[in-house]
Amino acid sequence: MNKLVDKYDRHLNYLRVSITDRCNLRCLYCAPGGLVPKLAHEDILRYEEILRIIRIGVGLGISKVRLTGGEPLMRAGVYDFLEELVALDGLTDISLTTNGVMLHENIEKIEAAGIKRINISLDTLNHKKFKHITGYDLFEQVWAGIEKALALGFDPIKLNVVALKGHNDDEFVDLARLSLTYPFHIRFIEYMPIGNAQMMSSDYILTPDIRAQLSVLGELVPVTRKQMDGPAQSYRIKGAKGEIGFIQAMSQHFCHTCNRLRLTANGQLRPCLLSDKQLDIRGPLRSGASDEELKAVFLRAVEHKHESHHFAPGCPSGVQDAMSNIGG
Ligand code: SAM
């Protein structure tokens, strides 16, 4: 039975875990000017600490875990950690979000660990723009990783596109068109003002405008949501192999369906991405807390989950913590 039920009757069964704040890209919406505040090594949870926290979460009702970062594939020892995670009893859904830079050379290790679901960030199909957005000319390398994921039968392969006016909005149709020939889920994510990545409101582009652009591709037929689906509103172009999704974090937030808690790289349980309220679980864990005491931290985090965030497009969120620590 899920014990992580909040006062708005949301059943929290999904833990997103940032395993490192380090990243090998400098995306302009995440690390503007290449600046990322780095956590000290000793502040980052060790793998055995993460596993213990997840195990306690599972005992309370967590059944789905997504690893993120920073760039999760950059952390030394990550493939052994994946195997240990997969071996944990009680998780029915384990997935990974990556920028894809290290995917081509490592995806067999992800597969060997038993993970078949993957999200890859891809904001553009143009290598010059890839460099402009991420700071590095690595489009081909990322695309090779995506193709290999497909060849190895990863399913679903979700491609995350952060929608940015003046940066990639001229490519939304081409990105969405990928779903015609590939079984990819192309997900357009509204930019969220988090950490020091506060872009100008003129950089925002919201779902209604993205959808209007995609109308040239024909009708978008809604896809019925499954129980463990995330917040994306999903659609399919008739006859398409893949799907198109919209994550309306700002324009029409989906807080009433939120089933998530987050564990940051430095060991804080965070009830909401868009609020800096978090509960320290690393401190008690390192000072010898029992499982029962750590469970109590989870339950307190659930109590602190707000009904919804109140940020509107164009307003600074006031969220100070870096996306790389929280994990997105
Ligand atoms: N390094 C991995 C990656 O690039 O996928 C995982 C971490 S990244 C923080 C997780 C997701 O958050 C990515 O899809 C990224 O595009 C998205 N993201 C980062 N900053 C964002 C922002 N300010 N607004 C919306 N999405 C953002």
Side-chain angles (χ1 to χ4, degrees), residues 16 22-25 27 29-31 67-72 97-100 119-123 160-162 189-194 197 199 249 323-324 326-328:
R16 292 176 69 106
R22 311 303 203 254
C23 193
N24 43 8
L25 294 183
C27 298
Y29 49 79
C30 195
L67 300 181
T68 171
E71 173 47 39
T97 299
T98 171
N99 59 30
N119 287 15
I120 304 161
S121 300
L122 187 74
D123 300 322
N160 288 346
V161 180
V162 178
I189 305 177
E190 291 178 351
Y191 165 74
M192 289 171 273
I194 284 183
M199 297 187 78
M323 192 64 134
S324 52
I326 312 168

Side-chain angles (χ1 to χ4, degrees), residues 191-195 197-201 204 250 274 309-320:
Y191 165 74
M192 289 171 273
I194 284 183
Q198 309 277 347
M199 297 187 78
M200 314 281 281
S201 48
Y204 285 45
M250 301 305 284
L274 285 166
H309 74 76
H310 298 289
F311 298 110
C315 301
S317 70
V319 175
Q320 302 296 321

Side-chain angles (χ1 to χ4, degrees), residues 163-178:
L164 300 168
K165 197 184 277 183
H167 299 282
N168 62 357
D169 54 338
D170 55 339
E171 286 191 78
F172 293 164
V173 172
D174 289 341
L175 284 156
R177 205 181 264 130
L178 288 175

Side-chain angles (χ1 to χ4, degrees), residues 1-200:
M1 201 185 71
N2 192 335
K3 300 196 179 70
L4 302 176
V5 181
D6 73 3
K7 47 183 179 279
Y8 307 102
D9 200 33
R10 290 174 298 199
H11 292 234
L12 312 179
N13 57 3
Y14 180 10
L15 185 66
R16 292 176 69 106
V17 182
S18 172
I19 63 168
T20 176
D21 67 331
R22 311 303 203 254
C23 193
N24 43 8
L25 294 183
R26 293 289 176 266
C27 298
L28 47 85
Y29 49 79
C30 195
L35 295 174
V36 194
K38 261 200 201 164
L39 294 169
H41 273 291
E42 61 274 19
D43 288 340
I44 296 176
L45 288 178
R46 295 191 294 274
Y47 286 132
E48 64 269 24
E49 294 175 326
I50 298 175
L51 286 167
R52 180 163 176 220
I53 294 170
I54 294 176
R55 200 176 294 118
I56 285 165
V58 169
L60 290 166
I62 295 292
S63 55
K64 173 172 177 174
V65 165
R66 170 174 298 282
L67 300 181
T68 171
E71 173 47 39
L73 301 187
M74 274 188 80
R75 181 157 176 184
V78 64
Y79 304 105
D80 292 337
F81 167 68
L82 290 181
E83 286 185 13
E84 289 188 70
L85 183 62
V86 171
L88 273 188
D89 276 340
L91 289 175
T92 53
D93 184 341
I94 302 174
S95 54
L96 185 75
T97 299
T98 171
N99 59 30
V101 169
M102 299 174 75
L103 203 53
H104 188 262
E105 55 185 310
N106 292 298
I107 191 155
E108 281 99 345
K109 292 181 227 161
I110 299 174
E111 189 190 31
I115 292 182
K116 291 296 273 188
R117 304 168 64 87
I118 199 156
N119 287 15
I120 304 161
S121 300
L122 187 74
D123 300 322
T124 172
L125 298 169
N126 172 305
H127 76 97
K128 279 201 185 117
K129 259 196 260 169
F130 191 95
K131 179 159 195 281
H132 162 69
I133 294 173
T134 69
Y136 295 86
D137 190 2
L138 292 171
F139 170 75
E140 300 296 343
Q141 193 168 314
V142 171
W143 187 255
I146 293 171
E147 290 202 309
K148 199 157 173 187
L150 184 63
L152 289 174
F154 276 71
D155 181 33
I157 298 173
K158 297 184 182 177
L159 302 185
N160 288 346
V161 180
V162 178
L164 300 168
K165 197 184 277 183
H167 299 282
N168 62 357
D169 54 338
D170 55 339
E171 286 191 78
F172 293 164
V173 172
D174 289 341
L175 284 156
R177 205 181 264 130
L178 288 175
S179 72
L180 291 172
T181 42
Y182 295 96
F184 299 153
H185 296 196
I186 313 293
R187 293 144 29 104
F188 294 94
I189 305 177
E190 291 178 351
Y191 165 74
M192 289 171 273
I194 284 183
N196 59 354
Q198 309 277 347
M199 297 187 78
M200 314 281 281

